[in-house]
Amino acid sequence: MRRISRAVTVRNLTVGGDAPVSVQTMSTVNPSSTTEAIADVKRLVGYGAEIIRFAVPDMAAAKGLERVVRASSVPLVADIHFDYKLALQAVAGGIDALRINPGNIGSDEKVAAVVDAVKKKNIPIRIGINSGSLPADILNTHDGHPTAEGMVEGALRHIRICERLDYKNLIISLKASHVPLMIEAYSLLATKVDYPFHLGVTEAGLLREGTIKSAIGIGTLLHQGIGDTIRVSLTDDPAEEIKTGRLILSSLGLRHFGPTLISCPTCGRTQLELIKLAKEVEAALEGIEEPLKIAVMGCAVNGPGEAREADFGIAGGNGKGLIFSHGNILRTVPEAKLVTGLLEEIHTYLENKH
């Protein structure tokens, strides 16, 4: 059962409530380079990004956001630390959301100025707590180490500042690089507030390790019904973050982004180049939006039966192979024509359906 959270609107996208869990990423381009930033937005949207965040280190970046926002088909978030003037400029330029911690931008007057500005335009703020940057006083009360309780305390500190200013248009994140700590922190805060959550394992690492850590951390919480928007943080092209995020949601059955490929591991019974074949099928499925389950099996004896839940599949062996659907064999073809034969069956099905 999904955790009940309040709905927050980010431009034309709803985060929280009963809205689908959205996938976001962060551009590596400085928005002061507006042409490059706009191009990067279009590229990332093409991969499926539904929210894109930009770091705003200085006023040139804050001012550059205005053109980027106007050119973007998806909501953009300005990531700002310490300088409230950058937040005010981003809001004036039409930004869709801020990632800022109210307690870190100075006096009460500065916080009030930012809150007043976002209130007027119905712009949400994401409060982001990272385990590695908790205030010293919180760390000192928790033996000098980040804990789930300390992270929640840090989040509540910023939340209360906003609530005192009668502002509750908030999204909260509690990121840690240690997966169990991240899971524990979000789970604890979920019992205390009803704000929507942005899930992520921060500093997750390179593609392989980062994907595994993110899938475990984000996936565990989503399976428990916790989480409303996600970012997979990888030391890689942001496009990989989007792909991984979508795969996590697809694997849990929460969203469907085109075909899902299932394939068996290689073994001694395999009589064809299974890895190569699976990669060819994966590439051939790009561009198909129908949420089909496609199987690539290495054994013609057991393949159709083991993958009987697949909409379509292929199973090969010794120079020829089978094309099947829901466990029923459609035809036998030479091994070299397995992929083209599979695509013919898929496209015929799609044409008849639509």
Side-chain angles (χ1 to χ4, degrees):
M1 182 176 177
R2 187 172 175 183
R3 165 182 172 264
I4 298 174
S5 63
R6 64 175 65 206
V8 170
T9 301
V10 189
R11 196 194 289 188
N12 57 353
L13 183 74
T14 299
V15 175
D18 59 359
V21 178
S22 53
V23 177
Q24 54 181 283
T25 189
M26 190 168 184
S27 173
T28 59
V29 180
N30 189 313
S32 63
S33 302
T34 54
T35 301
E36 291 84 352
I38 291 170
D40 200 43
V41 165
K42 292 179 179 178
R43 181 180 76 93
L44 297 175
V45 169
Y47 281 105
E50 294 168 304
I51 301 174
I52 300 173
R53 181 158 45 113
F54 279 91
V56 183
D58 51 38
M59 190 57 70
K63 291 181 176 179
L65 275 173
E66 184 170 0
R67 277 188 58 203
V68 185
V69 170
R70 288 201 305 265
S72 175
S73 61
V74 301
L76 301 187
V77 181
D79 189 303
I80 294 167
H81 294 274
F82 309 119
D83 191 344
Y84 84 108
K85 291 181 180 178
L86 300 181
L88 295 178
Q89 175 59 47
V91 171
I95 199 68
D96 300 297
L98 294 178
R99 189 283 194 204
I100 191 168
N101 288 345
N104 293 343
I105 59 173
S107 65
D108 291 345
E109 291 77 13
K110 292 177 180 178
V111 176
V114 173
V115 170
D116 184 59
V118 296
K119 270 186 180 180
K120 290 176 180 177
K121 294 192 174 185
N122 193 33
I123 295 172
I125 289 176
R126 174 165 74 88
I127 292 173
I129 300 299
N130 282 359
S131 62
S133 56
L134 289 175
D137 66 305
I138 291 180
L139 287 173
N140 290 339
T141 60
H142 295 275
D143 298 322
H145 300 289
T147 63
E149 292 79 7
M151 292 173 67
V152 169
E153 183 180 342
L156 291 174
R157 181 177 295 181
H158 295 296
I159 290 169
R160 301 310 178 215
I161 291 172
C162 292
E163 291 181 339
R164 285 196 295 270
L165 293 168
D166 192 30
Y167 180 79
K168 296 183 178 182
N169 200 7
L170 302 172
I171 299 170
I172 314 298
S173 68
L174 292 169
K175 297 185 179 182
S177 58
H178 184 53
V179 174
L181 175 59
M182 169 261 194
I183 294 172
E184 185 182 358
Y186 277 108
S187 300
L188 179 59
L189 188 62
T191 66
K192 299 180 181 297
V193 299
D194 67 349
Y195 295 111
F197 287 168
H198 166 126
L199 301 186
V201 178
T202 193
E203 300 156 359
L206 295 169
L207 183 60
R208 178 181 294 183
E209 183 175 2
T211 294
I212 292 170
K213 290 171 69 174
S214 296
I216 294 171
I218 294 172
T220 297
L221 288 165
L222 289 175
H223 186 61
Q224 294 172 356
I226 297 173
D228 304 284
T229 184
I230 66 173
R231 181 207 173 184
V232 175
S233 300
L234 299 175
T235 309
D236 209 303
D237 185 339
E240 297 297 336
E241 299 185 350
I242 301 163
K243 294 176 187 177
T244 303
R246 288 160 62 104
L247 281 171
I248 291 171
L249 295 179
S250 294
S251 297
L252 290 168
L254 297 175
R255 299 278 301 272
H256 297 287
F257 304 98
T260 298
L261 179 66
I262 60 174
S263 58
C264 65
T266 58
C267 72
R269 287 191 299 271
T270 303
Q271 294 181 304
L272 79 173
E273 295 183 76
L274 181 62
I275 297 172
K276 178 176 178 289
L277 184 64
K279 289 181 177 179
E280 287 179 7
V281 172
E282 182 180 53
L285 294 176
E286 289 187 8
I288 296 177
E289 297 181 359
E290 192 79 13
L292 300 170
K293 183 180 289 186
I294 308 298
V296 178
M297 310 299 286
C299 177
V301 176
N302 297 325
E306 291 178 355
R308 63 172 50 91
E309 297 301 319
D311 295 293
F312 293 96
I314 52 178
N318 198 23
K320 61 183 180 179
L322 307 175
I323 300 175
F324 58 89
S325 176
H326 296 287
N328 299 313
I329 297 172
L330 300 178
R331 53 185 163 129
T332 302
V333 298
E335 181 180 326
K337 294 185 177 180
L338 274 172
V339 177
T340 56
L342 173 66
L343 291 176
E344 287 170 2
E345 296 293 343
I346 293 172
H347 288 301
T348 297
Y349 165 78
L350 293 177
E351 288 169 6
N352 291 335
K353 180 177 181 180
H354 298 294

